[in-house]
Amino acid sequence: IFTYVKNILHYLTTEFSDRQIIILTCTKREKEILSLLLKHYDNTQIADMLSISSGTLKAHIHNIYSKLDVTHRNELIKKIDDLMKNDK
């Protein structure tokens, strides 16, 4: 139990980069959708590829935007591009 509490305290006091936040907070499905968004697929194409409704897709996209603190697709793409440049 001590190790568990120690790990939780470390997690709560660590400052994470935006890239780490994506890795830690996005679900597997959100990461799939994010990948397709970055490849410039439109919502209809993504929904068809993943066999989900457009409403479900929009909910996932909303969650991604919230987690990454963006409001539009172009802003999302720019933010991810910037993160990739800063990683090099």
Side-chain angles (χ1 to χ4, degrees):
I1 249 183
F2 175 74
T3 303
Y4 175 76
V5 172
K6 182 178 162 187
N7 288 340
I8 293 292
L9 289 173
H10 174 74
Y11 176 80
L12 293 174
T13 59
T14 301
E15 289 189 32
F16 293 102
S17 70
D18 287 338
R19 186 166 189 261
Q20 290 170 315
I21 290 169
I22 294 167
I23 293 167
L24 292 170
T25 64
C26 286
T27 65
K28 180 181 176 184
R29 181 61 107 187
E30 289 168 351
K31 289 174 190 170
E32 280 180 289
I33 292 168
L34 178 57
S35 171
L36 295 171
L37 290 170
L38 295 173
K39 293 176 183 171
H40 302 282
Y41 287 106
D42 66 32
N43 285 11
T44 303
Q45 292 171 311
I46 295 171
D48 288 345
M49 283 190 256
L50 299 178
S51 300
I52 59 177
S53 73
S54 63
T56 299
L57 176 63
K58 287 178 184 178
H60 283 301
I61 291 172
H62 172 78
N63 291 339
I64 292 167
Y65 287 3
S66 293
K67 290 175 182 181
L68 297 177
D69 194 30
V70 297
T71 55
H72 302 298
R73 191 167 301 200
N74 290 338
E75 188 180 359
L76 171 72
I77 291 168
K78 182 179 178 342
K79 185 166 195 165
I80 298 297
D81 283 345
D82 290 346
L83 289 174
M84 298 302 282
K85 288 176 189 171
N86 290 335
D87 249 15
K88 292 181 180 178

